[in-house]
Amino acid sequence: MIQSIRKLFTLLSPRTKRLLPFVLGSILFIGLLEMLSVALLMPLLANDLISGGGASQSKSTGIDLIFKLLNNFHITSLKDIATLVVLFMVAKHILITVLNYFQYLAIFKNDVWLRNELLFKYTNLNFLDFTNVKSAELIRNTAEQVGQISYGSLLSILTIVSETVVVFVLLGLIFVTLPVSSTILIISVFLFGLLPFYIFKKHIIYLGKIRFESISRTITEVQNIYNLYVEIKLYNIRGYFLNRVRNQSEIFTNAQVKNNLIANIPKGIIEIAAVVVILILIINSKSNQNFIPTIGIVVTSIFRIAPSFTRISSALTQLKFSVEQINVLYDVFQVSSLSQPITNEVRKITYTLFKEEVKLENVSFGYKGSHKLFSNFNLSVKRGDFVLLKGKSGKGKSTIVKIIMGLINPDSGRVLVDGKDLKEIDQGFWHSKLGYVPQKAVIIEGSLEENICLGVLPSEVDHELLELVIKNAQLIEIKEQVGSNTLSQEGGSISGGQAQRIGIARALYREPEILFLDEPTSALDSKNASLIHKLLNELNHELGYTVIIITHSNEFDSSATKIFEI
């Protein structure tokens, strides 16, 4: 548990850490308020006051002290004390509400920071390591589990600390007010309430792991439904995928039900133990003249402390339930466990790039656990070339492009830009010279302008360049068609050919020296494929763009200046 809390502390923002003293201070203050609220009720339960006495004659030092304090402020009548109690309760709950607001603000604001930091860590991975991250895990960790860290873990710790403070303060008050034997009985009530946590703690961690894994699998199954929708409709296999999602949902639900059941067991145990204690005190105290005040104070104390102990036990259960998610996010969060972006050990230089050619010189590469994709591969791309990388799937065409881009380091050999080793060139500067169009352009939910100028703030958009790009990518008709309307995510409101041209325009807006395209027409019909082919010819022949296309077909052969078979 201590180790999990230490890991959790790593997942706190600097702001949240700075606010921790305030949070702890407010917890102590709330504990003091709770003690005073119970202390003010004690004189009302004292036998002498109820019978009209002016001061307590009971043997309780605690109640005597409270009477003397009230007498100093000339508060002696039942009506005055009752009024004070009501006013104090109202003021207490207003103060607690205000303090809780700032506590929750400190906790849940951590979500914003943590989510951004996790995404920064992920996007800081080099290309190969990022491709090994499952999309379902990425979504789970950054979208769903970040909120659980605050709600399930931080809030649980806050509950444990705050309720523990309340319990100890009230037990201290009870200790100076009631006989030692009564105090011990009250404490034993709540110790019984913690037994389920210690009995089931290993099983709780197991349930948390099962729940955590089922979230990833559910996300994966939903993604499968989205990606295989055509096959699902065509082959009438909807029931198959719904059952797969249902199975994961049942696993999640069963884990959640069992955890909640364990969390609620202490409440029943505490109630049973409390009744037993009260009955023991009634049986053994009937001859005592302070019988009624004592029982009244015991009942008040138990039913004030009981909810706190129940919340402590539930929070401990929830914290154990969250151990797996804390461990996973902690591992992601540690810089030492993440591969860093490709770094340049040699002094980086910035200068005019790609005036002449890019060369691959005796380049070899193979993925871990796999055979070499290619060995001693050579390639030369001169400025203004129209280059095709052809070959069957899995032969390494896309890998070669990523090596040229500097996203992957070759196992051996060199990448030369105008005779300079790519390792000596600032990676960011080199990337600024490149444009990339994937096999299927991803359309985000936003305007045409936002999709083309992806990542550029509206105030920083170069509108003159944007208009030129729209013209060069033959998007004028689409601009008139959609206007300022929002394009739907994944491009549902436009055709595949239009989406592909938006992808080309996105690359052109970056003013690249080299334009890479990965199977740019494979998902298009012949009409749209012909339009894309014509557009790429114009970009190369008339505007001077260097074009490198990954393809397995022969449709671009007539335009190519060089063809490399992989």
Side-chain angles (χ1 to χ4, degrees):
M1 180 68 77
I2 299 298
Q3 187 179 9
S4 295
I5 293 174
R6 286 175 179 169
K7 290 181 177 180
L8 184 61
F9 188 78
T10 306
L11 303 177
L12 300 184
S13 70
R15 179 181 179 273
T16 301
K17 291 176 182 177
R18 288 196 301 270
L19 289 174
L20 283 181
F22 162 77
V23 172
L24 294 175
S26 64
I27 288 172
L28 293 174
F29 182 67
I30 289 172
L32 177 63
L33 293 177
E34 295 290 356
M35 181 194 71
L36 290 175
S37 66
V38 174
L40 288 174
L41 288 172
M42 287 183 174
L44 297 176
L45 300 171
N47 196 34
D48 300 277
L49 180 59
I50 294 173
S51 61
S56 172
Q57 295 176 1
S58 72
K59 295 180 181 180
S60 171
T61 304
I63 294 180
D64 280 343
L65 182 62
I66 295 168
F67 268 118
K68 289 176 183 178
L69 184 61
L70 293 175
N71 285 333
N72 288 336
F73 289 94
H74 306 291
I75 301 173
T76 56
S77 69
L78 183 64
K79 181 179 179 181
D80 289 342
I81 295 178
T83 302
L84 176 62
V85 169
V86 172
L87 291 175
F88 181 82
M89 290 293 184
V90 172
K92 181 192 78 170
H93 284 290
I94 291 173
L95 281 172
I96 289 176
T97 300
V98 172
L99 291 173
N100 283 342
Y101 169 76
F102 287 107
Q103 288 175 0
Y104 296 150
L105 196 63
I107 288 175
F108 292 110
K109 279 286 187 180
N110 193 71
D111 285 2
V112 178
W113 176 85
L114 180 57
R115 184 171 286 111
N116 284 344
E117 283 296 306
L118 286 169
L119 286 170
F120 177 82
K121 300 290 185 183
Y122 276 118
T123 54
N124 203 37
L125 290 167
N126 67 40
F127 179 81
L128 288 179
D129 288 333
F130 186 80
T131 56
N132 288 329
V133 177
K134 295 179 180 177
S135 62
E137 291 180 5
L138 178 63
I139 295 169
R140 178 198 66 190
N141 292 344
T142 58
E144 202 269 345
Q145 292 304 312
V146 166
Q148 286 299 316
I149 286 293
S150 293
Y151 185 78
S153 304
L154 288 177
L155 198 58
S156 293
I157 290 177
L158 178 63
T159 299
I160 292 168
V161 174
S162 60
E163 297 298 342
T164 300
V165 168
V166 170
V167 167
F168 273 101
V169 168
L170 293 179
L171 287 177
L173 180 64
I174 291 168
F175 182 77
V176 299
T177 306
L178 297 176
V180 174
S181 59
S182 299
T183 304
I184 292 172
L185 283 173
I186 292 173
I187 293 173
S188 67
V189 169
F190 303 112
L191 291 180
F192 276 112
L194 293 176
L195 283 177
F197 169 74
Y198 289 102
I199 292 172
F200 294 110
K201 62 181 181 180
K202 289 185 178 179
H203 189 61
I204 294 167
I205 293 175
Y206 171 74
L207 290 175
K209 184 176 182 180
I210 293 296
R211 173 187 174 276
F212 189 74
E213 291 173 350
S214 71
I215 293 171
S216 285
R217 294 194 182 107
T218 301
I219 293 171
T220 299
E221 296 300 342
V222 173
Q223 288 177 322
N224 288 339
I225 289 174
Y226 184 86
N227 294 327
L228 296 169
Y229 185 71
V230 173
E231 289 93 329
I232 289 171
K233 296 294 285 186
L234 189 63
Y235 305 144
N236 193 24
I237 52 176
R238 177 176 58 181
Y240 170 78
F241 284 96
L242 293 182
N243 284 332
R244 289 174 68 94
V245 173
R246 185 183 295 111
N247 289 339
Q248 293 305 320
S249 298
E250 287 177 354
I251 292 171
F252 175 91
T253 300
N254 289 337
Q256 195 74 45
V257 167
K258 290 176 182 178
N259 178 68
N260 289 354
L261 183 63
I262 294 171
N264 283 319
I265 290 175
K267 181 180 179 182
I269 293 177
I270 289 173
E271 287 183 2
I272 293 169
V275 170
V276 172
V277 167
I278 292 170
L279 291 174
I280 291 173
L281 291 175
I282 290 174
I283 293 170
N284 294 322
S285 305
K286 281 189 175 180
S287 59
N288 191 326
Q289 64 175 344
N290 293 319
F291 165 67
I292 296 297
T294 299
I295 293 299
I297 293 170
V298 168
V299 172
T300 301
S301 302
I302 286 177
F303 285 96
R304 173 57 194 88
I305 298 175
S308 293
F309 252 93
T310 301
R311 284 192 285 268
I312 290 171
S313 183
S314 296
L316 285 169
T317 302
Q318 180 60 47
L319 195 56
K320 278 291 182 184
F321 197 55
S322 303
V323 165
E324 181 68 16
Q325 68 189 39
I326 292 173
N327 289 338
V328 170
L329 295 191
Y330 175 82
D331 290 341
V332 174
F333 202 76
Q334 294 307 295
V335 175
S336 59
S337 69
L338 295 174
S339 301
Q340 298 300 303
I342 300 170
T343 56
N344 304 316
E345 297 179 0
V346 185
R347 180 179 63 88
K348 297 178 181 179
I349 55 176
T350 300
Y351 59 99
T352 303
L353 277 180
F354 194 49
K355 295 174 68 176
E356 297 178 6
E357 67 175 345
V358 175
K359 289 180 67 176
L360 299 187
E361 194 175 81
N362 298 319
V363 167
S364 300
F365 182 82
Y367 291 99
K368 289 181 180 179
S370 178
H371 63 279
K372 290 283 185 185
L373 281 177
F374 43 82
S375 299
N376 299 318
F377 182 78
N378 293 283
L379 173 147
S380 173
V381 179
K382 294 189 179 296
R383 188 178 181 88
D385 272 348
F386 193 115
V387 176
L388 302 184
L389 298 177
K390 299 181 68 176
K392 295 180 180 180
S393 297
K395 292 297 184 180
K397 303 186 297 296
S398 296
T399 301
I400 288 172
V401 164
K402 291 174 176 66
I403 288 174
I404 296 173
M405 290 178 172
L407 297 175
I408 297 176
N409 279 328
D411 296 336
S412 61
R414 297 190 301 167
V415 182
L416 303 174
V417 183
D418 293 341
K420 296 287 184 180
D421 195 315
L422 186 58
K423 292 181 179 180
E424 300 177 15
I425 299 170
D426 179 79
Q427 191 180 64
F429 185 63
W430 175 235
H431 288 169
S432 70
K433 302 296 180 181
L434 310 177
Y436 176 69
V437 182
Q439 188 170 344
K440 181 182 178 182
V442 176
I443 303 300
I444 66 169
E445 189 168 328
S447 66
L448 178 64
E449 177 184 305
E450 287 176 288
N451 272 278
I452 294 174
C453 307
L454 192 65
V456 179
L457 296 175
S459 59
E460 298 176 0
V461 170
D462 184 335
H463 290 281
E464 185 176 340
L465 174 60
L466 175 62
E467 291 301 320
L468 180 62
V469 163
I470 289 174
K471 178 183 176 182
N472 290 340
Q474 300 173 5
L475 290 174
I476 294 176
E477 183 180 341
I478 299 175
K479 180 185 175 184
E480 293 173 350
Q481 173 187 329
V482 301
S484 59
N485 293 333
T486 298
L487 299 177
S488 64
Q489 190 175 15
E490 300 296 334
S493 58
I494 56 177
S495 70
Q498 290 172 329
Q500 202 67 2
R501 275 181 278 162
I502 290 174
I504 293 172
R506 183 181 292 163
L508 296 180
Y509 183 80
R510 302 294 172 171
E511 299 185 281
E513 300 288 347
I514 305 176
L515 184 62
F516 296 92
L517 301 101
D518 187 354
E519 301 281 6
T521 60
S522 62
L524 304 180
D525 57 33
S526 58
K527 179 181 177 182
N528 279 306
S530 177
L531 290 173
I532 295 297
H533 187 177
K534 180 181 177 183
L535 171 59
L536 294 177
N537 269 332
E538 290 177 1
L539 292 174
N540 176 248
H541 297 151
E542 298 178 19
L543 300 177
Y545 284 96
T546 302
V547 176
I548 299 178
I549 298 177
I550 298 170
T551 184
H552 64 276
S553 70
N554 300 322
E555 62 182 308
F556 294 105
D557 287 9
S558 60
S559 303
T561 56
K562 292 178 181 177
I563 299 176
F564 294 90
E565 291 285 347
I566 310 298

